[in-house]
Amino acid sequence: MAERITGHTELIGLMAYPIRHSSSPAMHNEAFANLGLDYAYIAFEVDNDSLEDAVKGLRALKMRGSNVSMPNKTVVHKYLDKLSPAAEMCKAVNTIVNDNGVLTGHITDGIGYMAALKDNHIDVIGKKMTIVGAGGAATAIQVQAALDGVKEISIFNARDKFWDNAVETVKKINENTECKAALYDLADLDKLKEEMEDSYLFTNATGVGMKPLEGQTYIPDKSFFRPDLIVIDIVYFPRETALLKMAKEAGCKTMNGLGMMLFQGSAAFELWTGQPMPIEYMKEILDIKYE
Ligand code: NAD
């Protein structure tokens, strides 16, 4: 008889819509199997309309927790009991942990980004970074970087619907952490170049570079890079975006978003199970290699 799922198996969910394309179920179930942990991770199609009922279901079924992705990340906090400091600052949650009926919301995207840097021997603590983006992932990265001790963050974004969010993020970082944050319009490319010039690392945290914007970058030419600038793109499909290709040609150390994806998953995994994912094994499975 099959023994993988038993009467004791604990359930962890993923609530998002659309979600059938996600690689998270394969990643978490592979890690549970590798460590012999009695959990199962299943994706559920949940949108904003069904979210409240889904969270009630999580409580009623005594599930151990859930991941939460779009469009629920910025809404689900309303139905939870507590938030981690980073989730509170981002007003976004990607991980729910159920401790005997008390639901806590965490955001692990920023933790994953910082852990991927560390794993690749990139130490931005006490230094300056420039980052483009003001959406969910960018906000989580900016808040976590500030909480972890990055000295200065220059944020650029287009003046689109995400701009006001960036204004809020800068305010929260400056009020609640030792980090100095500032916001600039991405249309001001002279300013972008100036801020990149004295930064230790540069990060793209927008969807520019992946479909439908694959092959594109807002960086006009290689003069924006110098060989000792580290360039990160949190996009991981394609693995090498136009930004990373240009940065590599200019002699920069580069990294794509696969490491962040793995470590945000590992941080959630650890919150549920008390142990980290088998990182080296998962890196092999996901074919993650640093340059
Ligand atoms: P979002 O929709 O919340 O934010 C979108 C961001 O892209 C905003 O800053 C917006 O201003 C910017 N943008 C969109 N079109 C643009 C354009 N034409 N020019 C300039 N800026 C533009 O999305 P998100 O959830 O923050 O995700 C952003 C990217 O990060 C996506 O590509 C996503 O796949 C990736 N991501 C990676 C990880 C990871 O673990 N590596 C995790 C989350 C998101």
Side-chain angles (χ1 to χ4, degrees):
M1 205 155 89
E3 285 178 6
R4 170 69 184 95
I5 307 285
T6 71
H8 297 281
T9 305
E10 291 210 58
L11 179 61
I12 293 169
L14 166 57
M15 301 176 182
Y17 186 83
I19 199 55
R20 294 293 172 217
H21 64 281
S22 172
S23 48
S24 291
M27 179 169 79
H28 284 282
N29 287 314
E30 183 70 41
F32 295 143
N34 180 263
L35 295 178
L37 295 174
D38 198 6
Y39 292 86
Y41 183 110
I42 303 281
F44 297 105
E45 284 183 334
V46 174
D47 60 13
N48 285 177
D49 292 338
S50 52
L51 183 61
E52 184 173 7
D53 284 344
V55 175
K56 279 186 186 157
L58 182 155
R59 282 186 200 272
L61 296 173
K62 298 188 174 69
M63 286 167 61
R64 176 62 180 136
S66 185
N67 273 142
V68 179
S69 194
M70 299 310 283
N72 303 321
K73 268 176 141 171
T74 53
V75 184
V76 76
H77 63 88
K78 291 193 283 192
Y79 311 122
L80 306 180
D81 303 309
K82 294 200 295 190
L83 294 179
S84 71
E88 182 72 53
M89 274 175 79
C90 297
K91 277 284 176 288
V93 166
N94 78 336
T95 303
I96 303 171
V97 180
N98 181 2
D99 289 309
N100 302 315
V102 179
L103 303 191
T104 305
H106 298 259
I107 181 94
T108 66
D109 290 326
I111 296 171
Y113 170 88
M114 296 302 288
L117 294 186
K118 194 171 170 205
D119 193 52
N120 194 6
H121 310 291
I122 298 168
D123 182 11
V124 69
I125 305 306
K127 299 179 185 142
K128 170 174 173 174
M129 65 188 272
T130 294
I131 176 166
V132 182
T139 307
I141 290 170
Q142 290 150 9
V143 164
Q144 194 65 46
L147 288 172
D148 286 1
V150 169
K151 189 169 118 208
E152 199 178 333
I153 307 178
S154 290
I155 300 170
F156 286 78
N157 207 72
R159 281 193 180 266
D160 58 13
K161 64 175 180 176
F162 295 93
W163 180 264
D164 289 348
N165 185 46
V167 172
E168 269 300 299
T169 305
V170 165
K171 193 164 163 262
K172 280 184 215 165
I173 288 176
N174 287 332
E175 281 172 5
N176 296 296
T177 74
E178 299 293 308
C179 176
K180 187 169 150 273
L183 174 63
Y184 306 99
D185 190 338
L186 184 59
D188 188 351
L189 291 175
D190 290 339
K191 189 66 186 163
L192 178 63
K193 194 172 185 183
E194 190 186 315
E195 293 303 303
M196 285 170 70
E197 259 157 18
D198 65 350
S199 288
Y200 169 74
L201 73 78
F202 173 75
T203 296
N204 172 55
T206 74
V208 179
M210 71 176 280
K211 277 199 174 91
L213 304 173
E214 191 170 341
Q216 297 186 24
T217 169
Y218 38 75
I219 303 277
D221 59 65
K222 280 187 217 162
S223 69
F224 280 64
F225 302 113
R226 47 171 217 284
D228 65 344
L229 178 71
I230 296 167
V231 178
I232 318 282
D233 200 328
I234 71 162
V235 170
Y236 53 84
F237 196 78
R239 287 181 177 224
E240 185 176 87
T241 57
L243 169 77
L244 292 189
K245 187 167 184 289
M246 199 196 292
K248 212 185 278 178
E249 283 167 9
C252 302
K253 177 180 170 100
T254 60
M255 183 166 84
N256 67 24
L258 268 180
M260 170 176 166
M261 196 268 290
L262 171 63
F263 282 97
Q264 63 78 30
S266 177
F269 187 95
E270 194 163 349
L271 286 165
W272 297 315
T273 68
Q275 22 184 327
M277 273 186 177
I279 290 294
E280 293 310 319
Y281 172 73
M282 297 309 294
K283 273 172 40 186
E284 249 175 63
I285 296 270
L286 295 166
D287 193 24
I288 297 179
K289 292 187 195 92
Y290 301 126
E291 302 277 331

